[in-house]
Amino acid sequence: GDSVTQMEGPVTLSEEAFLTINCTYTATGYPSLFWYVQYPGEGLQLLLKATKADDKGSNKGFEATYRKETTSFHLEKGSVQVSDSAVYFCALRLGNFNKFYFGSGTKLNVKP
Amino acid sequence: DTAVSQTPKYLVTQMGNDKSIKCEQNLGHDTMYWYKQDSKKFLKIMFSYNNKELIINETVPNRFSPKSPDKAHLNLHINSLELGDSAVYFCASSRAGTQNEQFFGPGTRLTVL
């Protein structure tokens, strides 16, 4: 079935370190892919998205490229800040459906 | 200007009680959702309505009943609350089309004592 798998956390990094959070998906069609971020005590908010293969989504220094050949959408940031500490969710949406599939979330802790 | 709003933000109640959570969106979206997030942050879809019609109904106890009086509102009523219902409940909405994302409310933290 359709699903999203992302790396387990927590991920702990020092400020200015490079971040990668892995996300792979299984889908029967041609999904759009999303990364959401959840700060403590808040709802999820869209971080970036990509709607077709080879698209790169980017926002606030975060990037992810839609790789159809490896069914992946890994999140990267070159230099993390303490304020990036949050839980990150990878998600997909398939055409003709209103259902979103979410990964289990990856908690990121950034230390000063 | 809040896009997706939920009330209340916190709800503390005794086992066996009945409670409701309300959700409203002012984005003009035609699909709304309820999710349950557990203490490990795992997000589980519960229900989805499209133009007031139930389209997703996951394996959820029938003590949970969603109601959509119009496209902009989706309420969640829970009967006979149990300890295991304690969680954060999120409402979300989206526009039709694969490329469109969901917008989430701020969540309702339900604690059942």
Side-chain angles (χ1 to χ4, degrees), chain A residues 36 38 49 93 95 98, chain B residues 33 37 98-102:
Chain A
Y36 286 85
Q38 184 180 26
K49 68 179 182 182
R93 181 178 188 176
N98 285 308
Chain B
Y33 309 78
Q37 186 175 49
T98 319
Q99 72 278 13
N100 292 314
E101 66 270 26
Q102 283 179 317

Side-chain angles (χ1 to χ4, degrees), chain A residues 46-105:
Chain A
L46 180 71
L47 180 59
L48 53 84
K49 68 179 182 182
T51 59
K52 60 183 188 298
D54 299 326
D55 267 2
K56 179 188 280 189
S58 60
N59 186 24
K60 299 181 182 179
F62 290 90
E63 291 183 341
T65 302
Y66 187 158
R67 302 276 188 211
K68 189 179 172 190
E69 62 276 12
T70 54
T71 62
S72 65
F73 192 53
H74 304 321
L75 182 68
E76 296 182 336
K77 187 175 186 184
S79 175
V80 292
Q81 306 300 312
V82 172
S83 57
D84 294 326
S85 297
V87 180
Y88 292 82
F89 292 89
C90 184
L92 70 82
R93 181 178 188 176
L94 286 164
N96 299 326
F97 294 99
N98 285 308
K99 191 171 180 179
F100 288 74
Y101 296 84
F102 281 84
S104 54

Side-chain angles (χ1 to χ4, degrees), chain B residues 55-66:
Chain B
I55 57 169
I56 296 173
N57 187 358
E58 294 294 302
T59 308
V60 174
N62 55 17
R63 298 182 293 104
F64 290 78
S65 53

Side-chain angles (χ1 to χ4, degrees), chain A residues 13 34 50 62 76 106:
Chain A
L13 296 172
F34 306 86
F62 290 90
E76 296 182 336
T106 302

